[in-house]
Every structure is written in C-alpha cells, then in structure tokens.
Amino acid sequence: MSGMKAFGTYFQNDPDKPLVYGEVSLINPPRQRLRGEPKKEGILVHPVIVGFCGTDYELMNMGRRGLLRPKFPEGQRRLINGHEGVVWVPSQERFAIVLIRGGDSLDPTRYTEDETYFEYGCDQADGLFCDSMYVNPDMLLEIPGGHVRDGKIDLSFAKKLVFSDPFSCMLFQLERMEDLGSAHWFRQTARRHGCGLEEARALAADEIFERTVIFGLGTTGMFIGDIIRQAHPEAGIVFVARSPEDSPKVLFALRHTGAKYVRSAFDTNEALAEAIIDASGGRATTFIGVSGSGVEHEIAFRHRVLGCNGLYNSFSLGPKITLDTMPFGFENHLLFGSINFRQDHMEKAIRMLAESEYDRIVELIDRDEFTADPISAYENKIYCKNAPMKTAVIWDPARIDTSR
C-alpha cells in the first residue's frame, strides 16, 4: 500500500527552503535487506522518538546547493529524513529499531560496484521524521524487555536507543581497526614476542590501541572511546577537542572511558601536537579523526602525531586529507575510511546502550517548536555552537512514559 499521506519533515533541492515540514504522500516500494533475499513491501510503523544527526544538517546544506537528487527515492523530488530513533509497529504491537541500511549487497559494510544499497532517511529511502513510514519487516529489530508498560516506552530508555545507529557505526569502526591493525602489525609483533603469527594477530589487535588519539568529542568520538575501552581495557586514550576541561561533555566522556584530555586552545598547531604527544606518552599508534575539521590530518601527518606503523581512521565527512608521501611511505602509515555497519553491529549496540547512561546527554526539543521552523531549529538550536551533545524530539507523546 502506498499513497497514504502523513506529516513530516523532508529535504528538497531549494536554495531557500531545503528543509520543509508538511504533508507528504508515503511510498512503499519493495526493498531488499541483503543479496539473495526477496524484496518485500514495507509494513506501516509510527516513529515515536527521533534523534538528530549531523548527516541531517549536511543533507540540508546539500539541498541548498541542489545536490540531493541522487539521495531521493526513485521517482521522488524529496527525502523524508531521520535515521535514529524508536518506532511503534501497530500490526505487531511492539516497539522496534529500524535497521537503516539494506540493499542488493552481500555485506552492507563491503558493498561493491555491482551492488546497491539504500538507507532509510539518508539515501533513496524515506526516514523517521514523519507520522508514519513503511519498513521492510525483516529490518525491524527487537529491543530488550523491561522498559515497556501499557504500550508506552520509558523515556530514559528511548533516549538511549536514539544512539543505535551511531553506536553501531562505532562498533564497526572498532572491528575495522582491529582487523586492519592486526594485519598491519602482526609480523613485527611476532618477532617482538617470539610467538607464532596467529597468536601475534590477536596481540597486535590489542597493541594497535596502545596510544589512541581521538580528535573530536562529539557523540561519535565519545562512543568510539567508550567502545575501545570496553574491548581493550589497557588502551591509552587521549581526546582532543575545543571544549573547556570542566564542561559536562568532557567530564562525562572522561568518566566513562578513563581517557586523558587535551583542549585544542593553543596558538599553533605545532604546540597542540606537542601537547597531544606528551599526554599520550609518545606518538599515536592509532589516530581517529571525528571532528569534521581539516586540522585533523595536519596534526596527524604534518605535525607527526601519528607514529611509525600508525593507523589513521578517517571518520569525518567533508575535510580533505593531504600528506607528504615521503614520510607517509617511510613511516608505514595505514589510512582507511569506511562508514557502515551490519545488522549484528546494531543488535549489539542496542544491548550495550540498554545498559548505558547515554540518556543523560540527550536533550529534547518540542515537536511544535521544531516543526514551526525546522531550518531555524537546525541552525539556532540543534546544530549551533552551544547545542547539546544530542537533541531528539518526541514525535508521538502518546507512546512515551515521561515519568521513567
């Protein structure tokens, strides 16, 4: 069934109104979760709480520049955004998390040129900032029990679950860094420890995090620090960001990761680099760029924060990376970038978030305030300089227990 109308926010190519709130006709083309599986029409779900992501802001700016056409669902001139949140599935009388990425691919973290993909709310498929949407029934993931009463979900629990998508991304980043780091180091690790190559791979996957620099302290930076600490308790982690040392964000991150912190408030990048190396106890074994700033690669490569045989994880969207090929080659750096995750990552993220305290960093914006002028809300409240670490909106108050 399609053609049903609902109210929501959507992006369009328009220099003045790239983001609009209004009535839209929903679409329901058959979609495929993985290659080899049948395409299925979606079943109707109702978003309950939705989180705002930096991708939403970037897509809005792309709309201003008229660059969104490849992101629109086939035959449409708009994209209903939103890919973080909890939905209610009326036909099954349960809450669920939408598995965002699917398509004709064997593995959505490794799709190739002859494969296709879509992402609800981001790329070729409508998302959650709407009263209703259609989702492939195989892409509606279970949530842990104990937090739903009389058809309502606890607000504190729902806030945690808005992070399912970015937390999944960070679980994938950990997997990639372990895979690549172990393959990059294991031969010299075997010589150092006098062990076999397979044992060396396991050791190298741990050693690659010995001195980890995370440049940027948004939610993705905080999550990857937390995830590395849980998987590798002996990791040395240094966060670098512009926030004051006593800011709630910094204090929360350090308490959850046991990391050190270097505030980026130096007169020169050279001085900042020296402070990072000093805090790390040497040049970094792994450097993770999540700030969205071009300063990342300058600090890592030009100012030599990334050490010999070091791993550079580029997770920022937008900055260009330049490097001098002479030290790059001789210092044996390994650079990678990949922004995906699999279903098992999201299922693990849901379980880990359920036991977390991440609801504490989510602030709410009133739905009526947001929908009255969504562009202003983006620019002046959700993504402004003094914005909360995470903003979410309760889309369906009747499904939320605000007392819990």
Side-chain angles (χ1 to χ4, degrees), residues 6-281:
F7 283 88
T9 63
Y10 56 91
F11 294 126
Q12 59 185 4
N13 283 326
D14 189 300
D16 301 315
K17 296 181 178 180
L19 177 62
V20 176
Y21 175 76
E23 190 175 51
V24 292
S25 294
L26 302 180
I27 58 173
N28 189 18
R31 298 195 184 277
Q32 189 175 14
R33 180 176 60 172
L34 289 171
R35 175 165 286 193
E37 295 185 356
K39 290 185 176 181
K40 295 184 178 180
E41 285 195 353
I43 62 175
L44 192 70
V45 304
H46 303 306
V48 175
I49 185 171
V50 190
F52 297 87
C53 173
T55 301
D56 296 309
Y57 189 64
E58 178 60 25
L59 288 170
M60 183 181 75
N61 289 327
M62 288 175 65
R64 279 199 171 113
R65 301 193 298 271
L67 302 177
L68 284 180
R69 184 175 178 182
K71 301 290 186 181
F72 295 151
E74 185 176 357
Q76 302 297 311
R77 295 183 179 179
R78 56 99 182 105
L79 171 70
I80 300 171
N81 63 308
H83 57 280
E84 302 179 352
V86 180
V87 301
W88 172 254
V89 188
S91 62
Q92 300 173 359
E93 295 189 338
R94 70 179 179 98
F95 293 95
I97 300 294
V98 176
L99 176 63
I100 296 302
R101 177 182 283 259
D104 183 21
S105 59
L106 291 170
D107 179 346
T109 65
R110 305 285 195 281
Y111 72 91
T112 61
E113 291 85 353
D114 68 334
E115 298 179 336
T116 62
Y117 73 93
F118 68 88
E119 293 179 323
Y120 287 111
C122 295
D123 204 328
Q124 304 167 63
D126 289 329
L128 279 70
F129 278 113
C130 199
D131 295 335
S132 303
M133 63 181 293
Y134 291 97
V135 179
N136 179 320
D138 298 330
M139 298 178 69
L140 291 167
L141 305 184
E142 299 282 346
I143 65 171
H147 302 276
V148 176
R149 299 166 184 82
D150 300 322
K152 293 186 177 184
I153 189 170
D154 296 346
L155 176 58
S156 60
F157 185 58
K159 283 183 174 181
K160 297 175 185 180
L161 295 185
V162 301
F163 291 119
S164 298
D165 181 280
F167 207 83
S168 304
C169 284
M170 293 304 103
L171 286 170
F172 173 56
Q173 295 302 305
L174 174 68
E175 178 183 281
R176 287 290 277 158
M177 287 186 289
E178 290 173 336
D179 288 351
L180 295 173
S182 64
H184 191 47
W185 278 31
F186 77 102
R187 293 188 185 279
Q188 58 98 359
T189 298
R191 289 181 176 272
R192 199 164 6 93
H193 289 273
C195 63
L197 295 183
E198 286 306 310
E199 182 183 351
R201 284 184 180 273
L203 291 171
D206 191 59
E207 290 177 343
I208 197 69
F209 299 108
E210 181 180 354
R211 293 183 298 277
T212 300
V213 173
I214 302 173
F215 201 94
L217 191 49
T219 52
T220 52
M222 182 183 296
F223 291 161
I224 194 59
D226 184 5
I227 288 168
I228 290 172
R229 170 66 67 205
Q230 292 189 52
H232 302 275
E234 300 304 315
I237 301 172
V238 175
F239 287 113
V240 183
R242 293 178 295 182
S243 301
E245 292 87 342
D246 60 352
S247 68
K249 173 174 72 173
V250 172
L251 295 175
F252 185 91
L254 299 187
R255 180 165 63 88
H256 280 75
T257 62
K260 296 180 181 178
Y261 183 69
V262 174
R263 186 182 182 190
S264 180
F266 293 84
D267 293 333
T268 65
N269 287 342
E270 183 178 18
L272 173 59
E274 290 177 357
I276 296 171
I277 293 172
D278 182 64
S280 300

Side-chain angles (χ1 to χ4, degrees), residues 318-338:
K320 297 183 183 300
I321 296 175
T322 60
L323 46 84
D324 185 339
T325 55
M326 181 70 80
F328 176 74
F330 277 93
E331 295 197 341
N332 200 31
H333 290 149
L334 177 61
L335 187 155
F336 86 98
S338 187

Side-chain angles (χ1 to χ4, degrees), residues 296-308:
E296 295 172 349
H297 72 99
E298 291 279 336
I299 295 296
F301 297 114
R302 182 179 176 184
H303 297 288
R304 305 181 72 238
V305 167
L306 185 63
C308 291

Side-chain angles (χ1 to χ4, degrees), residues 9 11 19 49-58 60 81-85 128-129 159 162-163 165-166 219 361-367 369-371 373-375 377-379 381-383 387-395:
T9 63
F11 294 126
L19 177 62
I49 185 171
V50 190
F52 297 87
C53 173
T55 301
D56 296 309
Y57 189 64
E58 178 60 25
M60 183 181 75
N81 63 308
H83 57 280
E84 302 179 352
L128 279 70
F129 278 113
K159 283 183 174 181
V162 301
F163 291 119
D165 181 280
T219 52
I361 61 172
V362 180
E363 295 188 21
L364 299 174
I365 184 171
D366 181 76
R367 173 174 168 165
E369 177 187 357
F370 169 58
T371 58
D373 191 343
I375 293 177
Y378 271 42
E379 295 179 336
K381 187 164 185 177
I382 301 169
Y383 300 107
M389 278 205 74
K390 190 69 171 182
T391 303
V393 58
I394 296 176
W395 205 259

